[in-house]
Structure formats: C-alpha cells, structure tokens
Amino acid sequence: MLLLTGKIKILCEEAIELNSFGDRLFSKSGAGSFYAIGLKNKGIGIAVKVEDWCSEYVPPVVISILLQLNVIDICESRKLSQYLDYNIYNYKNEIVGFKEIDFKLESKKII
C-alpha cells in the first residue's frame, strides 16, 4: 500500500500500474519534502529529506536511489520519465535552466 501525495503519488501509482515496483517496496511521503521507502526483500529503509522543502526534487532523487540499489532497472525508470520534469521555469513559464541529480550512494561498514 502506498500513501503518497503530489507528483510522487502519480509517479508511484504509474510504477505500480506498470509493475515497475510491484511488491518490492512500500513508501510514505510527509511534510517538508520528506519521503521514506522500505525495500521489502533487502531489509533496507531509506529516508529522503530535501532541506529547503523543494518537493519537486524528491521524485528524481527517489528514482536515482532505486536505480543505484538495483531495485529498478534503467528500462523501468524510462517508463516513469514522463512524470519527471528537469526543467526550471520563470514566471512566464519559459525554460531558464534545468535540475541535475548528481550523487552516488556509498557502502559503509558499521562496526
């Protein structure tokens, strides 16, 4: 069961419809651009928090995390790309820039 809001809700509903995520994960969005994901078969919990509350970055960050953890593959992410808008618009709705999601997850050993 997914309890989501906004664009991420649409993104995840489409993913379920396409069987992209299936029963591999469950997720919950919250206030202030907070998003949590549980990966059922991996025993992993993920929390995403955008510090400046800019929720438009949450969907591409979530997709990047799921790709890096091999929860979804590149073909599955492409099916969801129509829900991601990387453009930045001004008040006239003109494209004035773009968003770039650029980070790599690192594996850390816990002692």
Side-chain angles (χ1 to χ4, degrees):
M1 177 177 173
L2 296 175
L3 303 170
L4 309 167
T5 59
K7 285 185 179 179
I8 195 71
K9 178 180 180 186
I10 294 168
L11 176 73
C12 288
E13 285 175 351
E14 181 68 11
I16 291 167
E17 186 176 307
L18 297 170
N19 293 320
S20 292
F21 298 159
D23 63 352
R24 291 178 273 178
L25 63 86
F26 58 93
S27 58
K28 174 75 172 95
S29 65
S33 300
F34 175 81
Y35 193 75
I37 307 162
L39 304 180
K40 291 181 180 181
N41 297 330
K42 295 190 178 198
I44 296 173
I46 302 162
V48 175
K49 171 70 173 118
V50 179
E51 192 170 315
D52 67 358
W53 292 35
C54 190
S55 62
E56 65 192 55
Y57 285 93
V58 174
V61 167
V62 168
I63 294 300
S64 180
I65 290 169
L66 295 176
L67 280 166
Q68 290 183 51
L69 293 175
N70 297 315
V71 174
I72 63 173
D73 61 31
I74 196 71
C75 292
E76 291 170 321
S77 72
R78 284 188 186 132
K79 292 176 187 175
L80 302 172
S81 65
Q82 63 183 321
Y83 297 98
L84 304 175
D85 186 358
Y86 290 96
N87 294 319
I88 298 172
Y89 302 90
N90 66 10
Y91 71 97
K92 292 181 181 179
N93 207 31
E94 300 168 329
I95 297 172
V96 295
F98 66 95
K99 302 171 202 117
E100 185 175 10
I101 307 303
D102 184 22
F103 68 92
K104 299 287 183 239
L105 298 175
E106 294 181 7
S107 178
K108 300 277 184 176
K109 286 191 173 187
I110 299 174
I111 299 174

